[in-house]
Amino acid sequence: MKFEYKPIGILMVCHGNICRSPMAEFVLKDLIEKKCLTERFYVASAATSTEEIGNPVHHGTKKRLKEAGISCEGKYAVQLNKGDYCKYEYLIGMEQRNIVNMMRILGGDPEGKVRRLLDFGANPRDIADPWYTGDFDTTYNDVLEGCKALLDHILEQKKGLFPYRVD
């Protein structure tokens, strides 16, 4: 007997889609790959603004990800659109301001899919924007904390869908 599952869609969202949300996208992809669950997830990222559309990932994010052994090559900023609500099970903002802008673009959240990344962790908070702080290490640590907590949450919620070892 063969079982097939629709991949779980996760969209990471920040203001410009060049710093935090691509960092979260590629950190989460790395965590998923390490658990051998790549075929069970679809992870992407997007912006709430149009300011950086078409631009590559910020050099500070690229550098920090490279230090962690994670590549983000080929990623260019795209904008969130209303249709993304149906495409993804989880739409994850990096800060409260992102959530407000996501709700405006999506037209609401009737299914409760929209959350901040660190709302899944033990210490809910916004992830500071390294565009302003220049501190990509703190952003990376927060993103890693949030991605681990999000993945743990999903694996707990979807236990029956994962016949692989997930610990």
Side-chain angles (χ1 to χ4, degrees):
M1 182 182 299
K2 182 178 178 186
F3 293 97
E4 292 188 24
Y5 301 100
K6 178 183 171 199
I8 295 167
I10 304 166
L11 186 64
M12 301 295 193
V13 181
C14 70
H15 181 76
N17 192 217
I18 61 168
C19 295
R20 294 172 293 174
S21 62
M23 185 182 283
E25 172 187 350
F26 289 97
V27 166
L28 184 58
K29 284 179 175 178
D30 184 63
L31 292 172
I32 289 167
E33 185 178 326
K34 287 175 178 170
K35 290 189 179 287
C36 301
L37 294 170
T38 305
E39 71 282 355
R40 299 300 175 112
F41 291 89
Y42 175 72
V43 182
S45 63
T48 59
S49 77
T50 59
E51 294 169 28
E52 300 288 348
I53 302 308
N55 288 335
V57 173
H58 187 282
H59 62 87
T61 293
K62 278 185 183 178
K63 180 178 181 268
R64 186 60 188 92
L65 287 173
K66 186 176 181 181
E67 290 169 2
I70 301 170
S71 173
C72 61
E73 287 305 312
K75 171 64 183 171
Y76 295 91
V78 298
Q79 188 178 25
L80 174 71
N81 67 69
K82 192 169 186 163
D84 287 331
Y85 195 81
C86 294
K87 187 175 178 181
Y88 296 94
E89 279 186 67
Y90 298 88
L91 293 103
I92 308 297
M94 300 297 113
E95 65 182 11
Q96 189 57 41
R97 185 173 52 194
N98 301 148
I99 301 297
V100 170
N101 290 329
M102 291 166 69
M103 294 297 201
R104 178 182 45 78
I105 293 166
L106 298 170
D109 182 21
E111 297 176 39
K113 297 179 176 187
V114 178
R115 307 256 305 267
R116 285 183 313 173
L117 181 58
L118 285 171
D119 284 346
F120 292 93
N123 183 16
R125 62 196 184 279
D126 287 345
I127 294 174
D129 191 341
W131 175 263
Y132 299 106
T133 67
D135 185 355
F136 288 85
D137 290 330
T138 297
T139 299
Y140 177 83
N141 292 335
D142 285 350
V143 164
L144 181 60
E145 174 187 335
C147 286
K148 285 180 176 179
L150 171 61
L151 186 56
D152 287 347
H153 169 82
I154 293 170
L155 294 176
E156 180 63 30
Q157 294 293 313
K158 310 278 185 181
K159 263 187 189 164
L161 299 179
F162 297 98
Y164 309 103
R165 184 177 174 161
V166 294
D167 56 18

